[in-house]
Amino acid sequence: MDSRTAAQVLEAIEDPTRKAEARQLDALFRGVTGCQPVHWGRGLIGYGRYHYRYDSGREGDFLATGFSALKTKFSLHILPGYQDFPEIAARLGPHRRGKSCWYVSRLSQVDPEALADLIRAGLADLRSQYTVQPS
């Protein structure tokens, strides 16, 4: 985590539409998770955290779920990224999938109920493997 707060990261977004959508995402993540936002660095805002340990011995802490407001899209971090959630994906609206990220260009094109369900499903999947702590 770096020294900026999540509020400072959101305030630094220059495009007014993007800033408004990032604030909407912040409110949605807070509401679904019950967690306060924490800036994890590189613009990544997380809600909750968990400690992981791989078979290789590598371990650390990471956000349980969250988002980043990239220049042209939002990166939604639904961890640990093992599930596709096809029923939710069908309702979400236009998106792309990465390994543990879902990308949406405009929040206005996304079904907010489907997004809330995606966050809940991702957290449930994460909790089936790790202990999730509030932030």
Side-chain angles (χ1 to χ4, degrees):
M1 291 181 249
D2 71 26
S3 61
R4 291 190 304 165
T5 66
Q8 289 170 326
V9 171
L10 294 174
E11 186 57 36
I13 299 170
E14 294 179 10
D15 179 88
T17 302
R18 205 125 194 89
K19 183 184 290 190
E21 289 186 332
R23 287 181 174 156
Q24 289 174 335
L25 274 176
D26 175 48
L28 180 68
F29 274 92
R30 284 178 194 235
V32 170
T33 66
C35 295
Q36 293 300 307
V38 173
H39 180 223
W40 285 78
R42 297 181 142 192
L44 184 57
I45 298 173
Y47 304 82
R49 64 182 169 79
Y50 71 103
H51 185 81
Y52 62 86
R53 181 174 295 132
Y54 297 135
D55 291 339
S56 67
R58 180 179 176 211
E59 64 180 291
D61 293 308
F62 198 53
L63 59 95
T65 191
F67 74 94
S68 182
L70 305 174
K71 207 158 195 73
T72 61
K73 58 188 166 274
F74 289 101
S75 172
L76 309 173
H77 296 264
I78 309 298
L79 300 167
Y82 304 136
Q83 299 295 324
D84 289 335
F85 307 114
E87 293 172 6
I88 298 171
R91 296 186 294 122
L92 186 61
H95 69 279
R96 279 186 334 152
R97 281 265 345 256
K99 191 168 193 170
S100 63
C101 298
W102 298 59
Y103 299 99
V104 296
S105 296
R106 288 284 172 206
L107 194 58
S108 60
Q109 298 174 332
V110 173
D111 179 336
E113 288 300 318
L115 181 51
D117 289 346
L118 179 63
I119 295 165
R120 283 187 204 95
L123 281 173
D125 185 45
L126 183 64
R127 285 185 177 117
S128 74
Q129 300 168 60
Y130 299 97
T131 300
V132 175
Q133 302 291 325
S135 54

